[in-house]
Amino acid sequence: MLLSDHVSKIPLVGPLYAKKLEKLGISSIKDLLEHFPHRYQNFSLVSTILTAQPGEVVTIQGQVVQIKNVYTRRGKTLQLAVISDGTDTIDVTWFNQSYLVKSLPPGTWLSLSGKISTIGRKRSLVSPQYEKIGNWKLEIGNSSTLHTGRLVPIYPETYGLSSKWLRAKIARLLPLLAKEIEEYLPLSLLEEHGLLERRKAVEQAHFPESASDAEDARRRLAFDEFFSLQLNSLWRKLSWKNAIPAPQLKIDQKKVTAFIKSLPFTLTQGQKQATEEILQDMRKPQSMNRLLEGDVGSGKTVVAALAAYVAWTNGYKSIFMAPTQILANQHFNTLKNILEPFGAEVGLVTSGQNLKLKISNLKFDVVVGTHALLHKVRLLENVALAVIDEQHRFGVAQRALLAQKRGGFAPHVLTMTATPIPRTIALTMYGDLDLSVINELPKGRLKIKTWVVGQQKRESAYKWIRERVKNTSEQAFIVCPLIDVSEAETLKNVKAASVEFIRLQKEVFPDLRLGLLHGRIKQKEKDSVMNKFKGGELDILVSTPVVEVGIDIPNATIMLIEASERFGLAQLHQLRGRVGRAQMQSYCLLFTENRSQKVYTRLKALEGGLSGPQLADLDLKLRGPGEVYGTAQSGFPELKVGSYSDLELIKLAREVAEKIIEQIDKHPKIKKLIKDKTEISSN
Ligand code: ADP
Ligand code: MG
């Protein structure tokens, strides 16, 4: 057997098990050996039966004295056994495993792990882990047991594939194949940073002898995970910089100044700084690849508009891509207002239009559309700038698509996001991007007053909203509960919003004008609802949680979020950013029916004045990275071993990757970790 062999080469693994393993992302034997436990059950305390205390989690080893099936009235069975180790006896109970009576007859030697409980006055083990001893010797570490009497690895499981099964297979394969596990890092480097050898780390991660062994193993494996991510993003950064020529733009400072003067406001310091960084990039003959991060309302659009203006003064086109049609419409209007006075023509491409036909002969200087534009971009000539709004929904692949050379050059790419990204994530995931951050809001914005509202205050909150919006220009958003956390607009979320909309209109606000918005409404109707809300013909807009992040409605002053505990702090902060855009005092009501102190404390954090990135970091601390960033919907890659809260290790991996990539050709084994096969031209 080889590491690279398919799992079906493993004895007793047929197509059925192969299929189940596939569900866990395991197809080769290597994958199986790299399926690491996510925790360990501590069964390392071995005790005699005599001294085992109620409440203790222990391992005892002894012989079956008697065992029998007992049938309950409901047709279930219990297996009652008595075990003796010479010091005393103990009762053991299992449920519905009548085969045990045959497979563990009196005289069998067993090792059993579990919590000692008391039934009546007698000590007993209920549903303990067990294994026969004597017939199977584990060749790793000192322990001769596998499922008991040690730190027992618990794996991510799937239906029909238990940790016990995985553990047994891995324990058999490791001694045979561990020597094939390659070390790709120089030994000097391992020593310098106190990292285990990879082979040892793999063995030790499955079967550690102590908690500190397990931690050492985890550290090395997590390092590898981060290192590979870093290496790949650094490689992308280098190849982007070296391989893709972009139009070198001339910056006419006078024109830039005149443009800035024409704006109805003065730029904030953060906007000025970001503008400068972007213009610096666009001067260069390599394609810009910059991420512009700033809270909702921090004014990213105007910064991008300035970049488009500069492209236009150089005789080039720009394209603007938004995640949704409504946002595309909004950008279109904003850009039209800003750019058309100078003579640049702004056009909107909607998803309904036949893009293929139209796009190649679009006459506009600035083309705005949804991300559907992305795939057609190659057809458009003379594009110097591509702006992608709300970047977290766009992956590496999409950016790479833009980078494909067209007519000898690629556009400069500016991605924008209001998603507050914790530092660890920025370092890991966006290592290939240059980062500009706008960390202040325009002057004069009032802090959005935020309250956590429990069930008992619901009615008075509704009353308060009515008083504010009825017969005034103020408006409110009501965001419905997030039923389904997937990124797409699912039927479940739509249904919840529709039901809530009817309830609110009929029972709560019969005297007000309500509108409903969700992703499954036809475009025409969406636009009409949105326009009505913008025009003040609606008092309240009820919507699903995933719809439209960046809408600009100056009169909207109230944001009510249902079941707010289901959102991350950063997400809530982003939703809240839909209000408070003008000089009026705005409010955010975080509804929750969950009374746990933990939830309350977490939501309370929004009442303070923390910035988006601060909230993101706090959320990472309070909920743990698994919950915040570990899911597919977060848009960040799922880590198998590492954790996004591990700043020290992430930094180390980056440092090492930076050093190694400078002389990558000296490290052929490491070079194999790079997925992108474009060679970097040396210059
Ligand atoms: P976001 O960063 O969320 O995309 P926008 O670009 O939509 O924010 O800007 C939000 C609002 O703030 C817009 O109405 C915009 O005209 C306004 N704005 C932008 N910059 C400034 C500024 N420096 N001073 C005052 N208002 C500004
Ligand atoms: Mg925006």
Side-chain angles (χ1 to χ4, degrees):
M1 260 186 301
L2 297 170
L3 272 183
S4 55
D5 280 343
H6 190 255
V7 285
S8 52
K9 283 267 170 73
I10 304 169
L12 301 178
V13 173
L16 197 70
Y17 274 111
K19 215 170 180 181
K20 288 178 182 171
L21 285 164
E22 191 74 46
K23 279 205 185 131
L24 293 172
I26 298 169
S27 58
S28 67
I29 295 180
K30 180 167 179 284
D31 295 338
L32 178 60
L33 295 189
E34 290 180 355
H35 187 65
F36 296 113
H38 55 82
R39 65 186 180 92
Y40 304 90
Q41 206 154 23
N42 191 350
F43 287 149
S44 48
L45 177 65
V46 180
S47 169
T48 60
I49 296 178
L50 186 68
T51 53
Q53 300 298 318
E56 259 179 350
V57 175
V58 295
T59 297
I60 58 161
Q61 305 194 322
Q63 259 182 313
V64 179
V65 177
Q66 50 165 290
I67 183 164
K68 63 179 180 204
N69 275 319
V70 173
Y71 298 87
T72 67
R73 258 187 251 144
R74 294 220 186 126
K76 308 235 157 129
T77 65
L78 299 178
Q79 289 69 48
L80 301 182
V82 177
I83 308 288
S84 162
D85 69 350
T87 67
D88 203 349
T89 60
I90 191 165
D91 292 344
V92 176
T93 311
W94 286 283
F95 300 96
N96 297 315
Q97 300 174 63
S98 40
Y99 60 89
L100 289 179
V101 173
K102 279 227 173 79
S103 65
L104 309 175
T108 310
W109 278 92
L110 287 181
S111 179
L112 303 129
S113 295
K115 192 170 177 180
I116 306 283
S117 51
T118 42
I119 297 179
R121 293 183 138 190
K122 291 177 81 180
R123 289 171 306 158
S124 142
L125 276 172
V126 179
S127 295
Q129 293 293 315
Y130 69 93
E131 67 191 297
K132 293 185 194 176
I133 41 180
N135 61 348
W136 160 250
K137 275 250 182 296
L138 184 68
E139 287 168 36
I140 303 157
N142 299 327
S143 178
S144 58
T145 52
L146 183 58
H147 308 293
T148 61
R150 53 157 49 252
L151 282 178
V152 177
I154 309 294
Y155 297 94
E157 301 174 348
T158 184
Y159 183 75
L161 267 194
S162 64
S163 281
K164 190 168 185 175
W165 189 93
L166 289 162
R167 200 181 297 137
K169 290 288 177 246
I170 291 168
R172 251 171 223 279
L173 291 166
L174 258 184
L176 300 175
L177 293 168
K179 55 186 174 303
E180 273 191 52
I181 296 170
E182 247 188 347
E183 181 54 72
Y184 58 86
L185 290 172
L187 291 181
S188 59
L189 216 145
L190 297 182
E191 248 164 54
E192 186 186 340
H193 300 296
L195 292 164
L196 283 187
E197 254 185 83
R198 182 160 171 90
R199 169 190 171 169
K200 187 142 193 247
V202 171
E203 290 175 341
Q204 215 162 286
H206 290 294
F207 302 109
E209 278 167 35
S210 65
S212 83
D213 272 10
E215 175 48 30
D216 288 347
R218 194 203 68 84
R219 183 164 178 273
R220 168 65 210 262
L221 298 172
F223 175 89
D224 285 0
E225 200 169 19
F226 290 130
F227 179 75
S228 166
L229 287 169
Q230 297 286 7
L231 196 69
N232 278 290
S233 72
L234 287 173
W235 185 265
R236 279 199 302 274
K237 185 169 187 167
L238 281 179
S239 59
W240 182 286
K241 287 250 148 82
N242 285 359
I244 304 161
Q248 219 172 333
L249 303 181
K250 289 203 186 67
I251 316 294
D252 182 335
Q253 202 52 53
K254 260 194 212 144
K255 283 187 182 168
V256 170
T257 310
F259 177 92
I260 293 174
K261 275 224 172 96
S262 80
L263 298 170
F265 43 72
T266 47
L267 294 181
T268 63
Q269 203 48 45
Q271 285 172 316
K272 279 187 201 155
Q273 173 82 26
T275 304
E276 240 160 65
E277 287 163 355
I278 289 164
L279 295 186
Q280 276 304 337
D281 283 358
M282 290 172 65
R283 272 202 175 103
K284 294 182 189 156
Q286 304 103 23
S287 174
M288 164 169 77
N289 192 15
R290 187 168 285 278
L291 177 65
L292 176 59
E293 190 194 343
D295 264 7
V296 182
S298 60
K300 296 183 290 295
T301 318
V302 63
V303 172
L306 176 55
Y309 171 74
V310 168
W312 175 72
T313 58
N314 279 265
Y316 290 104
K317 293 179 197 251
S318 298
I319 53 173
F320 260 75
M321 283 160 286
T324 65
Q325 195 62 52
I326 294 181
L327 279 175
N329 292 355
Q330 185 180 302
H331 279 323
F332 169 66
N333 289 321
T334 308
L335 294 168
K336 216 170 143 77
N337 283 338
I338 300 181
L339 293 170
E340 285 202 342
F342 294 93
E345 270 188 76
V346 182
L348 178 70
V349 177
T350 58
S351 45
Q353 289 169 323
N354 187 339
L355 284 174
K356 213 170 188 154
L357 255 183
K358 295 200 97 173
I359 204 145
S360 50
N361 50 29
L362 278 179
K363 295 282 180 288
F364 304 111
D365 304 305
V366 176
V367 181
V368 186
T370 62
H371 63 259
L373 256 183
L374 197 71
H375 298 275
K376 313 291 175 195
V377 135
R378 264 167 297 165
L379 302 171
L380 198 59
E381 294 283 303
N382 233 15
V383 177
L385 174 71
V387 178
I388 310 178
D389 197 18
E390 296 308 336
Q391 116 88 24
H392 68 286
R393 296 197 192 178
F394 299 90
V396 171
Q398 280 93 337
R399 291 207 304 268
L401 199 70
L402 277 171
Q404 287 177 358
K405 281 191 231 178
R406 298 155 313 115
F409 65 80
H412 294 285
V413 179
L414 178 65
T415 36
M416 306 198 290
T417 183
T419 307
I421 307 164
R423 222 149 70 84
T424 50
I425 298 218
L427 274 172
T428 336
M429 301 334 310
Y430 300 113
D432 55 333
L433 299 176
D434 295 308
L435 187 65
S436 291
V437 182
I438 305 181
N439 50 15
E440 66 195 312
L441 292 179
K443 275 207 199 80
R445 298 266 170 87
L446 295 166
K447 194 181 138 214
I448 302 168
K449 287 195 179 150
T450 302
W451 296 295
V452 180
V453 179
Q455 181 63 1
Q456 73 285 2
K457 293 255 178 79
R458 179 180 283 268
E459 288 313 316
S460 52
Y462 284 145
K463 193 166 156 241
W464 179 84
I465 291 174
R466 173 181 298 102
E467 279 164 15
R468 288 206 79 92
V469 304
K470 197 173 181 180
N471 307 323
T472 70
S473 63
E474 286 187 57
Q475 294 166 295
F477 284 106
I478 295 184
V479 174
C480 295
L482 184 65
I483 307 286
D484 201 330
V485 293
S486 70
E487 175 83 5
E489 185 76 314
T490 62
L491 217 49
K492 275 188 188 158
N493 289 335
V494 167
K495 188 154 176 248
S498 310
V499 170
E500 179 65 1
F501 169 71
I502 293 170
R503 185 187 79 88
L504 288 168
Q505 180 74 83
K506 278 199 174 144
E507 294 169 22
V508 185
F509 301 118
D511 49 336
L512 299 179
R513 300 161 302 169
L514 272 61
L516 172 67
L517 196 66
H518 61 66
R520 300 221 174 182
I521 291 177
K522 282 210 188 86
Q523 189 55 47
K524 248 190 170 164
E525 202 183 328
K526 258 193 220 168
D527 290 347
S528 121
V529 171
M530 219 45 228
N531 287 335
K532 272 191 193 159
F533 193 56
K534 264 197 153 164
E537 290 170 52
L538 295 173
D539 303 304
I540 296 174
L541 186 65
V542 181
S543 84
T544 47
V546 288
V547 103
E548 319 315 344
V549 195
I551 332 173
D552 200 12
I553 311 271
N555 282 333
T557 56
I558 298 168
M559 166 61 65
L560 186 171
I561 302 170
E562 282 285 353
S564 53
E565 76 279 357
R566 299 200 183 169
F567 296 88
L569 292 182
Q571 262 176 310
L572 289 170
H573 177 69
Q574 235 175 309
L575 281 171
R576 173 171 65 178
R578 287 185 202 170
V579 298
R581 293 211 159 199
Q583 259 79 356
M584 278 183 278
Q585 177 62 54
S586 290
Y587 306 87
C588 176
L589 309 181
L590 301 170
F591 274 32
T592 179
E593 295 180 12
N594 187 313
R595 291 162 175 235
S596 89
Q597 189 58 39
K598 215 174 138 195
V599 162
Y600 186 72
T601 313
R602 195 164 72 81
L603 292 176
K604 267 293 204 204
L606 281 155
E607 295 185 4
L610 298 182
S611 72
Q614 284 169 328
L615 285 168
D617 279 337
L618 181 67
D619 214 16
L620 200 57
K621 263 199 215 113
L622 292 178
R623 286 198 302 164
E627 213 173 321
V628 184
Y629 299 104
T631 57
Q633 60 109 11
S634 70
F636 300 111
E638 226 170 312
L639 296 173
K640 279 170 76 181
V641 187
S643 147
Y644 282 121
S645 55
D646 210 344
L647 184 58
E648 180 263 335
L649 202 57
I650 289 173
K651 276 186 176 161
L652 178 63
R654 179 158 186 93
E655 236 172 73
V656 174
E658 273 170 354
K659 257 191 226 147
I660 294 226
I661 209 149
E662 279 173 18
Q663 26 183 311
I664 189 76
D665 288 321
K666 285 195 194 147
H667 301 281
K669 282 183 196 160
I670 298 181
K671 202 168 176 185
K672 276 197 277 179
L673 298 176
I674 296 172
K675 294 185 187 97
D676 174 7
K677 294 301 173 206
T678 10
E679 280 297 323
I680 294 176
S681 58
S682 48
N683 56 348

